[in-house]
Amino acid sequence: MSITLGPSTIASQFWCEMAVDLRRKYGEVSTPEKEKGSEIHKDRFLEVLEEIEVEIKTPGDKLHSNIHNMMVGLELYTNEGLTRELPILAKFDSAHIMGIIDEIKLIEEIQGKNKLKKTQIVEMKTRRSLNPPSSQQILRDKMQGMIYWYGLNSMINKETEMGDFWTAFDIDLIENNFNEPILSEAYMKSLQIPKEKQKEYGSLLSIGNLINETLKRASKLPELTKTIEIIYIHQKTLVEVHRERYNFDERFFTRGMKWALEYWSGKREPGSVGQLNSWKCDFCSYYTVCPTIHKKWKE
């Protein structure tokens, strides 16, 4: 059975896996810091692209919206050498990895006597404090950056296939007629698709062609540089407080992913942070419902 996971969810296991488990049970907890971070990311996105609001009703709508955003982002990157909020999809073992990269940009990398055009992944994190992030926060964020690297590299190297999209978005190819629309009228109306063209535009066949075209465009991107950047900025002043540059580490990434997926496949229970990292509990939104904390209280 395939599962679909986001890079930030997997990376959060490297901060506190118990908190990830509690988020599954109790849902996401909104905080002023998260809302401010989302606002800053949106502002950065609007610096390079225009936002179009659409009405998502079906899995097909969600799939098409994702592919559309992917194609628009890839076109902008091809033309301008930079894009933001780029969706990616890849597969690792039995899990599909689906997320949105903060930014990719075109850089020049010197190899010997040659200057080569490369694609670089840049992640941006916002901080409430002007202090640099802790080593534990950087470890989590480095893992997230490597997951994005793996995902985009899979698309560039043609390892992501059309079938991965059908599976990740739960589109049934047996029940759906290839010539019948899988997009809702409300969604197509929000895209201003004329009614007489909606049946063809929203069909499984049409969306399959769009996926194929998008994957072809992704495969033509300049290869990825091994160097990933994470920029930490202060939420109030937008001042950069730290910049982390590091290389994709295949051994660390593979071991980390296999460890993380053991939890999602039910091979083990979620782990807690342990005594040495118990300070993390002071910043947790699930403090009052955490079984590890309750156990400490009883002791």
Side-chain angles (χ1 to χ4, degrees), residues 28-47:
E28 185 72 50
V29 177
S30 179
T31 65
E33 291 75 24
K34 289 178 183 177
E35 291 176 4
K36 182 62 178 177
S38 297
E39 182 184 317
I40 292 171
H41 275 85
K42 184 175 180 179
D43 288 343
R44 280 171 52 84
F45 168 76
L46 293 175
E47 289 175 0

Side-chain angles (χ1 to χ4, degrees), residues 22-164:
L22 293 170
R23 188 180 302 120
R24 292 177 71 188
K25 294 175 181 176
Y26 297 100
E28 185 72 50
V29 177
S30 179
T31 65
E33 291 75 24
K34 289 178 183 177
E35 291 176 4
K36 182 62 178 177
S38 297
E39 182 184 317
I40 292 171
H41 275 85
K42 184 175 180 179
D43 288 343
R44 280 171 52 84
F45 168 76
L46 293 175
E47 289 175 0
V48 298
L49 282 166
E50 179 184 357
E51 183 180 47
I52 299 174
E53 291 190 7
V54 293
E55 198 169 346
I56 304 291
K57 295 285 189 180
T58 68
D61 296 345
K62 190 175 180 181
L63 166 62
H64 186 275
S65 175
N66 188 277
I67 288 294
H68 176 269
N69 292 343
M70 196 179 288
M71 176 61 88
V72 170
L74 291 170
E75 285 180 351
L76 179 66
Y77 178 71
T78 300
N79 296 331
E80 304 292 337
L82 182 142
T83 194
R84 290 177 179 152
E85 302 297 310
L86 177 70
I88 55 100
L89 177 66
K91 191 175 182 181
F92 184 93
D93 288 347
S94 62
H96 284 91
I97 312 300
M98 184 164 59
I100 300 176
I101 301 173
D102 286 344
E103 178 179 300
I104 62 170
K105 64 180 181 180
L106 189 65
I107 64 166
E108 283 189 344
E109 192 169 81
I110 298 174
Q111 290 187 358
K113 296 181 179 179
N114 301 318
K115 285 185 178 180
L116 303 178
K117 299 286 186 182
K118 294 284 188 75
T119 299
Q120 183 174 48
I121 287 175
V122 181
E123 279 294 292
M124 189 200 71
K125 300 294 181 183
T126 64
R127 289 184 58 75
R128 186 174 53 181
S129 166
L130 282 166
N131 296 324
S134 69
S135 60
Q136 290 289 308
Q137 290 170 316
I138 291 174
L139 174 66
R140 174 196 62 195
D141 298 338
K142 286 173 75 171
M143 185 62 189
Q144 184 175 350
M146 281 193 270
I147 297 171
Y148 284 126
W149 191 98
Y150 172 85
L152 184 56
N153 193 58
S154 295
M155 296 181 70
I156 292 174
N157 291 328
K158 301 181 181 180
E159 292 164 2
T160 299
E161 301 174 342
M162 185 186 296
D164 294 321

Side-chain angles (χ1 to χ4, degrees), residues 7 22 33 52 75 93 99-100 118 143 147 178 193 196 217 221-222 226 240 248 250-251 259 263 282 298:
L22 293 170
E33 291 75 24
I52 299 174
E75 285 180 351
D93 288 347
I100 300 176
K118 294 284 188 75
M143 185 62 189
I147 297 171
F178 267 69
I193 307 301
E196 63 273 13
R217 183 175 288 272
L221 264 59
K226 290 279 188 179
E240 182 181 320
F248 177 80
E250 186 169 358
R251 185 168 178 268
W259 169 81
Y263 160 73
D282 296 335
K298 288 179 181 178

